[in-house]
Amino acid sequence: MEKLKLLLIAFIIGFSSLTFAQDSVSGVVTDEQNQPIPGVSVFIKGTTIGTTTDFDGEYQIKASKSNVIVFSYLGFKTLEITYNGQSPLTVQLKEDTATLEEIVVVGYGSVKRSDLTGAVSSIGASELTEQKKTDIGQAVKGQVAGVDVRSLSNKPGAPLSIRIRGNTAIRNDAYVGRDGASDDPTLDRTKPLYVVDGIFFEDINILNPADIQQMDILKDASATAIYGSRGANGVVIITTKNGVEGKTVFTYEATMGFRTVANEPDFFTGDEYVAFVDDVIRSREFGKLFNSGMPTVADYNNIDVSSFINTEIRTTNEEASNVANRRYTNWIKDYQKTGLQTSHNFGMSGGTNGLVYSASLGYLSDEGVIGIEAYERYNLSLSLSKRVSDKLTVGLKSYLAFSEREEGSRELYRSTQRLAPTVNSRDTDGNLILFPDDQDTRFTNPYYDANGEWTVNTKSLDVIANVFVNYKPTDWVSFKTQFAPNIKTTRFGEFRGLYTKAARNDPSRIQSHYDTYFNTSYSWDNIVDFNFDVAKGHNLKATLISSLYYNQRENGKIETRNFDTNEYLFYNTESGTDIRDYDTEYVKESLASFAGRINYSINDKYLFTFSGRYDGSSKLATDNKWAFFPSAAFAWKISDEDFIHNTDWLSNLKLRLSYGEAGNDTSVSAYDSLAFLSNNDYLFGESAANGVSVSGLPNSNLTWERTKEFNIGLDFGIIQNRVALSLELYNKKTVGSIFGRTLSPISGFSAAIGNFGSVRNSGIEITLNTRNIQTDNFSWRTSFNFAKNKNEILELDGDLDLLPYEDHGVLQVGQPADAIWSYQRDGIWQLDEIAEADVYGQDPGQRKYVDQNNDGVLNDEDKVVLGQLSPDWTAGLTNTFTYKNLDLSIQAYTRQGSYGHSEFNSLSVPWNGDDATFNKVDLDYWTPNNPDSENPALEYGANGDYYTDFDFVRIGNIGLGYQFSDKMLDKLQMSSLRLSVNIQNPFTFTDYEGSDPETGLQNNYNGGYLTKTVLFGLKLSY
């Protein structure tokens, strides 16, 4: 017995000494760019003791001296380090391209890509910054299947339209233009939800790509359902960079370059314009002959142009003299310039003793290529986190952006194109001529607008923050609470001075606009995570969430006119004695949510995800504010099965199936379910009195739009993933679509908002990544993506199946929600078809249209859907070549199948019927001598048909870079140094007549040129 006691005491002492000899080892695991890697497996070799790094790359583990700590993560080479008391123990993993893997943020959490069950695409920091784009949206163009990014303007700082998997709204905004295409992205009811560091965000344009660590795009409903009502149009999750514990690392990145006009429209030169004027006169007079007979080719050729020329080529402004002496003005070239672009980004990160920090400061200056257009942006970010104990971590992430955008004149672009090359800018004494073309005094001399006579200036300040507390009482449960405020304030000012088109030298017409906008919002999220093994090979992860979102905005505006000077600009509206408009507004809305997600894994081969969110919106009717949105997904790692696991050529094969529902209330404003009152004047006896009347119908049944989506995905990789393919098939149906129905005048109201319709988007997405060549010194990688989406209206309120709107829009069951509805072209009427053309009130030289019902009359019954605004398919292709330290990348993308009305064409094609007042694009047109033209005759051939395709293929970027060798970096005492040159938008291939088919749907008013930008870059760290 004594021996047994002694043995027991010895065992206890030995065990205690072994236990107390263990240290708490902590640190951060980073990649070669010093970015933290979440999800890294950290364990003591030869034992079952282990843990994983969190999203910030941090870990903590118990270890004794001489223990070997193993760091393992798919996509990186396994690293083993002998522990000898190092604290902190920060390690850097080297990328293993043969097994590349990544962590994906999926909303309130993250998973390894190999464990994904939904459709999620990710873009890392290098992809976002390698092209040196000024904003995130531009950097994403053509890089993600199913994500359509379109520029709305080519002016510096212009907004973008981003759409994921098509258009879910039947009427996309309340202020549609000719085609339902809005120039204002804030009105887009199909824009995705943006989440920046856990904060709901509106304008990602203000973010600096250099500050972004990763962007994850959630596309299918099973992935977005965790955001419930906010995720119906897809979710873009943006994570800014975090600090890394260890020595302080400083980074500096700068670009400098210039932008010039690209793809300039081919307008008539001086001699060509003179010939065009002759043809205008001849065609105008020839058209008159159809009223009295059947004119011939000879009649056309015998028209005496000289007897009419004075009405077009004027003698009052020396135009006739200019023509006689071939003395022309190139208005377009005279007002183009080279715009300079420069950016500077400075960052630092580091940490010690559990305190991790990072900060960055960025500046961007971008000049336009015409007038005073310019954009400036300042970005400041700060991230702090402190591990207070083994169980408690607190932190703060904040981001500040200040921007100023000067749009300049909204007329300068098109006025320089329209002014005839035969008129002068200055008189013989060198003085500016206010109205260069006295044939049309709507246009003042562009010189004034180019130098600031018309200014449109916007200043914005955005401040976001995320304060969080993370408590982990045990290894299998953690609790996080985060409070995320967001403040945005904007000042908009516009001044149209004395010599603008608006005023035309009349002081009473000088305009000053001053608008202010102040928005405050916050999100408060409480998150509980569970992670434990239910049984051997069975792992359960669960997330429970409660969330509260509040948004409040205030804005005011004033417009005054009649100024006695230009000096006040928009800063002194009181000096304008004619008050035209003033208004203020206050709106608030809130959203409360409860959500949960379960991830269940069996042998890491069979993956199940279930999630649900219960949302309540203040915007909906009283009894319909709350709704539940569920989802389920399954993934099967087929390549891990025993029957296929030993197949040498197969690296990855995974099948994914999912179904989910998401809601949407963005289609309604904060008070659309309520009735409104408006002011009305009325006669009370013999006196005028003020009163109110009901101006809108309430809707007590207004509830959520609900999107139901099926997704089938396949991930496939062969030859050690040198060829990796991802395929997605989806069917997304939106029911209870919210839009405004036009009411009969007998109701006393013009429209009513309600859940009237249903729309479906279905399509295919393909992503293919290949490593074509991989040697020690040379590599060639290709990334390709393709997406095709079909949009279709399924229902329009009961039996209604056709609802025309605006000039040529239509809502029609079986057709796209953004369909173009008009007459089908059938060529041009010819001289031998005079009698047939006369039946339809047409003449030879005008467009011929199909009489769909052959009743001899063209009316709405003959209109058909000609196309749609959204592209039929999109694609992107990037090739990257690396030779030693030199790399070359070429990126191209395309949008195909977009069709609609071109405002540029309506102003600039030769046959638009505005006499020979303006210059035109050099295009073919019908004459009796040119009967094979597809375009109508000049003057009398105009009929408002300016539809066209907006298809294009664009080389988006050509980039060349050089990374200095480690040997050189050691001499320079730097950790990284890279030089680069990028050429953005060098080539565009299109049949579109204007400068940029991507912006062709927008109004030519406030337009701008597509630009080519050449940027030289420097990036270093030490």
Side-chain angles (χ1 to χ4, degrees), residues 132-136 138 205 207-209 341 364 366 377:
K132 308 304 179 186
K133 299 291 188 179
T134 58
D135 60 75
I136 297 175
Q138 293 285 359
N205 255 28
L207 300 176
N208 183 357
Q341 184 184 116
L364 168 70
D366 193 5
R377 186 183 66 207

Side-chain angles (χ1 to χ4, degrees), residues 356-640:
V356 178
Y357 56 87
S358 70
S360 69
L361 177 64
Y363 170 75
L364 168 70
S365 175
D366 193 5
E367 295 180 354
V369 294
I370 185 170
I372 60 172
E373 301 167 358
Y375 180 68
E376 277 191 306
R377 186 183 66 207
Y378 300 84
N379 296 90
L380 176 64
S381 69
L382 176 65
S383 173
L384 290 170
S385 69
K386 172 63 177 176
R387 189 173 61 252
V388 180
S389 67
D390 295 345
K391 298 179 180 181
L392 181 64
T393 302
V394 297
L396 164 69
K397 295 189 77 171
S398 62
Y399 199 88
L400 182 148
F402 174 78
S403 63
E404 180 175 6
R405 183 182 180 215
E406 177 55 66
E407 298 178 56
S409 168
R410 291 176 168 168
E411 277 291 348
L412 181 61
Y413 169 71
R414 67 180 186 180
S415 65
T416 56
Q417 293 176 349
R418 298 176 77 183
L419 280 168
T422 52
V423 298
N424 295 333
S425 177
R426 297 177 181 269
D427 60 24
T428 54
D429 296 326
N431 299 312
L432 289 166
I433 301 173
L434 181 58
F435 302 109
D437 190 348
D438 62 8
Q439 195 174 352
D440 192 320
T441 57
R442 288 179 300 167
F443 290 94
T444 57
N445 197 315
Y447 175 88
Y448 297 106
D449 281 4
N451 288 278
E453 189 75 5
W454 190 340
T455 180
V456 181
N457 186 276
T458 304
K459 288 184 178 180
S460 295
L461 175 65
D462 291 80
V463 181
I464 64 176
N466 186 337
V467 182
F468 66 88
V469 177
N470 198 341
Y471 181 66
K472 190 172 184 178
T474 69
D475 291 339
W476 58 274
V477 64
S478 67
F479 171 76
K480 182 177 183 179
T481 182
Q482 61 182 24
F483 181 74
N486 181 359
I487 298 174
K488 182 181 183 69
T489 180
T490 300
R491 189 273 295 144
F492 170 84
E494 179 179 1
F495 185 78
R496 306 183 190 186
L498 184 63
Y499 300 130
T500 60
K501 176 184 176 181
R504 298 199 292 277
N505 206 26
D506 181 354
S508 68
R509 297 169 61 95
I510 297 175
Q511 299 181 27
S512 177
H513 303 254
Y514 194 90
D515 302 348
T516 57
Y517 174 94
F518 185 74
N519 192 95
T520 57
S521 65
Y522 67 80
S523 299
W524 183 23
D525 299 321
N526 293 285
I527 307 164
V528 182
D529 287 308
F530 303 90
N531 184 355
F532 56 88
D533 291 330
V534 179
K536 185 178 180 180
H538 291 248
N539 178 260
L540 176 68
K541 296 178 182 177
T543 301
L544 300 178
I545 305 157
S546 70
S547 178
L548 179 64
Y549 172 73
Y550 175 83
N551 183 62
Q552 172 187 306
R553 73 173 184 269
E554 304 172 30
N555 59 276
K557 63 180 180 180
I558 185 169
E559 176 192 345
T560 59
R561 301 188 183 187
N562 194 18
F563 289 79
D564 58 7
T565 177
N566 278 354
E567 298 302 318
Y568 298 124
L569 295 179
F570 46 76
Y571 296 111
N572 190 353
T573 56
E574 184 184 15
S575 295
T577 59
D578 181 6
I579 301 175
R580 287 298 183 95
D581 189 21
Y582 56 91
D583 191 20
T584 57
E585 184 182 38
Y586 173 83
V587 176
K588 68 176 181 179
E589 59 190 75
S590 60
L591 181 74
S593 307
F594 302 94
R597 177 174 57 216
I598 296 175
N599 294 95
Y600 193 82
S601 169
I602 302 176
N603 296 327
D604 200 31
K605 289 189 296 187
Y606 312 104
L607 310 173
F608 300 87
T609 301
F610 305 95
S611 66
R613 181 157 171 145
Y614 190 52
D615 279 329
S617 171
S618 66
K619 298 165 65 173
L620 303 175
T622 301
D623 296 328
N624 294 287
K625 295 183 182 297
W626 289 89
F628 179 69
F629 305 102
S631 77
F634 167 72
W636 177 23
K637 296 182 181 179
I638 304 174
S639 54
D640 286 353

